[in-house]
Amino acid sequence: MPTPFGIGTSIILRLQYDQGVVNFGAIASALSDSGGDIVAIDTNRVSPAKTVRDITVNLNDPHDVNRVVSSVQQLPGVKLINVSDQTFLMHLGGKIEMHPKVPIKNRDDLSRVYTPGVARICMAIHEDPSRAHTLTIKRNTVAVVSDGSAVLGLGNIGPEAAMPVMEGKAVLFKQMAGVDAFPICLNTQDTDEIVSIVKAIAPSFGGINLEDISAPRCFEIEERLQKELDIPVFHDDQHGTAVVILAALLNALKVVGKKLEQCRVVVCGIGAAGMACSKILLASGVKDLIGVDRQGAIVRGHVYPHQVWNEFAEHTNPFMVRGSLSEVIEGADVFIGLSGPGVLKIEDVKRMAADPIVFAMANPNPEIMPEEAEPYVRVMATGRSDYPNQINNVLCFPGMFRGVLDCRASQITETMKLAAAHAIASVVSDEELNAQYIIPSVFNHQVADKVSKAVIAAACDAGVARRSRDSRDN
Ligand SMILES: NC(=O)c1ccc[n+]([C@@H]2O[C@H](COP(=O)([O-])OP(=O)(O)OC[C@H]3O[C@@H](n4cnc5c(N)ncnc54)[C@H](O)[C@@H]3O)[C@@H](O)[C@H]2O)c1
Ligand SMILES: O=C(O)C[C@H](O)C(=O)O
Ligand SMILES: [Mg+2]
């Protein structure tokens, strides 16, 4: 069974071996017998007696590294020169850098890009601040802000450890939609401080993407920033997840021939993602939604420590079902996990309604591994890139921000989120749709374009767009 980090664990062994003592077949056998999957062989140097090769090996289990390495180290005639980890190699010095758009080749350039020419641009913005949207990076740049308190499903690992995820988000923003994004990881988890800091840096950005900030603080932080800033503020773990899950569910229900209004939906994990996902499903017509958290089903009449749960209880669980996940899952049509690893058991899945739909979204380890659930579900999906039906926020956030930046939206409305969900779902045609293909690939370049167009149209309809399609930049 694939373990914690799946295909991300890949090593490169640089070996020198003496052909007169050992042949490469013996080396390959030793590697595969010890749990390594050889995916590439590059010859680095060849001499009459010795060959140096770089062998790239994927590991199903990161804990196999030592066994795989020692399996060749002990072979006669083999000298291990170096072992490197591809994922770590990709992160050396971080994954993003700054590139100037305007080269300074001579004094003429310098006098425009910098002093004295730049002063005219400063004064133009000083006289009309809205021109910052056209004359600075504000037009195309988003801050990816995190405090590292809920990174993926790894928990509160802090701002420095959150950086690789936020840098990855910035790479995806740029590659998928041409949006420039910069990671801002904060060394505070105080709500007032975070709000104050983000307000202070807002002049440099056209939008704020909040990321991996734990509930319930994330709700207050987002709400206050939305009220106090005139640029869009979007907590991706809430709304990006809600959008992509709705898109996937719309298509999954087509596969099983059920309607949203008829389904019992169990959402496990009522944190940032679970709360937003529940809200968008209720707004889309789900009538019977049960939220489950560590203490079991959330039900009205019980007073919860989180005020957001008391409001949640008033609008969900209409039949006041009580009990643990294993108890409330009985007869459910849909399970959506936004909680933690291994929460859903095969026995639970077996007791769901016919043609069950299971979205096990916890990262990096889902609520149930697809290979365990597959025999008992009709549609299976996770947030991981190494299984079919990856429901990943990257289907939403690049196109969402592309759209809001291009129409200079002042905020992101519920209608814009619904429009994004339907746009994502529409990328999968009825002819292509099947249980293994309910959501477009994250590499499908139609997605960001369709999402941004749908978002712009919805922003115009909602009256929050501040730049029409035909307006000129100056
Ligand atoms: N598209 C995606 O792949 C995607 C997007 C967002 C979040 N996620 C994943 O969803 C999970 C939650 O993310 P979040 O940002 O909402 O975090 P969060 O900390 O805000 O919420 C997690 C919630 O799950 C609950 N929970 C944890 N373990 C549980 C258990 N065993 N039983 C019931 N409830 C449990 C917690 O009490 C909390 O309320 C994480 O694993 C995250 O990686 C995936
Ligand atoms: O963005 C994603 O898909 C990952 C998500 O933010 C998560 O916290 O797991
Ligand atoms: Mg996240």
Side-chain angles (χ1 to χ4, degrees):
M1 176 174 93
T3 49
F5 305 112
I7 58 168
T9 312
S10 171
I11 58 175
I12 301 172
L13 297 99
R14 174 161 290 182
L15 297 176
Q16 175 184 284
Y17 66 97
D18 184 334
Q19 293 101 309
V21 177
V22 64
N23 65 40
F24 187 75
I27 294 171
S29 301
L31 289 170
S32 55
D33 293 348
S34 58
D37 174 22
I38 297 174
V39 292
I41 302 164
D42 300 291
T43 299
N44 186 278
R45 270 195 323 277
V46 181
S47 68
K50 298 187 187 311
T51 297
V52 177
R53 280 184 168 170
D54 289 341
I55 308 165
T56 305
V57 180
N58 274 356
L59 303 177
N60 277 326
D61 184 340
H63 303 110
D64 285 345
V65 174
N66 293 334
R67 187 166 67 230
V68 168
V69 170
S70 54
S71 74
V72 287
Q73 246 174 338
Q74 64 200 0
L75 287 178
V78 172
K79 179 187 172 194
L80 179 64
I81 298 171
N82 182 37
V83 181
S84 51
D85 178 314
Q86 273 197 313
T87 305
F88 278 83
L89 286 179
M90 290 176 89
H91 283 79
L92 291 179
K95 295 176 283 196
I96 59 174
E97 61 184 4
M98 198 287 280
H99 275 292
K101 284 169 61 178
V102 284
I104 298 178
K105 299 186 297 298
N106 51 46
R107 279 184 180 285
D108 201 32
D109 291 341
L110 180 61
S111 69
R112 288 199 175 90
V113 170
Y114 206 49
T115 178
V118 71
R120 292 173 52 221
I121 312 305
C122 297
M123 292 316 292
I125 295 171
H126 178 59
E127 284 146 24
D128 175 2
S130 72
R131 295 187 73 182
H133 284 277
T134 49
L135 298 172
T136 73
I137 62 167
K138 200 178 175 72
R139 181 170 75 171
N140 196 56
T141 306
V142 168
V144 181
V145 176
S146 182
D147 65 0
S149 58
V151 181
L152 301 181
L154 304 174
N156 189 353
I157 59 175
E160 289 84 1
M163 276 297 283
V165 170
M166 307 313 143
E167 289 181 26
K169 213 127 194 143
V171 173
L172 289 166
F173 263 119
K174 188 66 177 178
Q175 190 164 316
M176 299 301 175
V179 172
D180 294 306
F182 199 82
I184 308 277
C185 287
L186 304 176
N187 193 16
T188 175
Q189 295 187 1
D190 176 89
T191 295
D192 292 335
E193 282 187 3
I194 292 172
V195 170
S196 167
I197 291 165
V198 175
K199 279 174 65 180
I201 65 170
S204 301
F205 298 98
I208 303 292
N209 178 106
L210 300 174
E211 189 65 39
D212 291 353
I213 299 175
S214 63
R217 292 179 305 116
C218 59
F219 304 123
E220 180 186 347
I221 290 168
E222 185 189 47
E223 192 177 342
R224 284 172 58 183
L225 287 171
Q226 283 170 334
K227 285 191 180 117
E228 299 182 36
L229 293 179
D230 76 338
I231 55 174
V233 179
F234 183 82
H235 180 206
D236 186 47
D237 291 288
Q238 292 181 62
H239 312 303
T241 313
V243 166
V244 294
I245 281 181
L246 175 58
L249 187 56
L250 290 171
N251 283 344
L253 290 171
K254 279 186 188 174
V255 171
V256 302
K258 294 180 181 175
K259 294 195 181 311
L260 273 175
E261 299 75 16
Q262 297 164 338
C263 290
R264 165 165 287 185
V265 179
V266 171
V267 179
C268 183
I270 306 301
M275 182 66 75
C277 173
S278 301
K279 284 180 179 174
I280 205 169
L281 293 182
L282 294 170
S284 300
V286 170
K287 301 283 183 271
D288 183 4
L289 184 145
I290 302 173
V292 177
D293 210 275
R294 295 180 194 274
Q295 303 78 8
I298 295 175
V299 59
R300 75 183 69 119
H302 181 98
V303 179
Y304 295 97
H306 299 328
Q307 180 46 31
V308 287
W309 280 2
N310 292 315
E311 288 158 27
F312 180 88
E314 289 306 312
H315 299 94
T316 58
N317 199 350
F319 301 102
M320 299 185 73
V321 178
R322 300 170 190 278
S324 68
L325 174 64
S326 293
E327 289 165 312
V328 306
I329 196 77
E330 178 94 32
D333 301 280
V334 181
F335 169 86
I336 297 173
L338 289 162
S339 51
V343 172
L344 185 68
K345 308 302 179 197
I346 291 175
E347 291 317 309
D348 300 336
V349 176
K350 287 179 178 175
R351 297 197 344 271
M352 292 178 72
D355 295 322
I357 295 168
V358 170
F359 293 172
M361 301 298 296
N363 280 324
N365 268 345
E367 284 79 0
I368 188 169
M369 293 307 287
E371 50 273 39
E372 291 179 273
E374 221 92 69
Y376 310 102
V377 302
R378 181 74 187 283
V379 180
M380 178 76 206
T382 68
R384 289 175 51 142
S385 46
D386 50 347
Y387 288 99
N389 289 339
Q390 178 185 20
I391 303 177
N392 192 298
N393 298 25
V394 74
L395 291 166
C396 172
F397 64 80
M400 174 64 77
F401 274 97
R402 180 72 279 148
V404 299
L405 289 168
D406 288 351
C407 72
R408 209 173 301 154
S410 56
Q411 58 178 294
I412 295 172
T413 65
E414 295 312 306
T415 54
M416 291 160 76
K417 296 171 197 168
L418 289 170
H422 287 273
I424 294 167
S426 73
V427 172
V428 180
S429 68
D430 290 343
E431 296 71 39
E432 297 169 311
L433 182 63
N434 67 70
Q436 275 70 43
Y437 185 55
I438 61 168
I439 192 98
S441 156
V442 298
F443 293 102
N444 185 323
H445 288 290
Q446 287 182 62
V447 174
D449 185 50
K450 278 205 165 190
V451 170
S452 61
K453 287 188 169 71
V455 163
I456 291 171
C460 293
D461 292 346
V464 298
R466 292 177 291 190
R467 179 172 178 270
S468 65
R469 290 183 188 81
D470 53 10
S471 62
R472 279 175 45 77
D473 276 347
N474 52 41

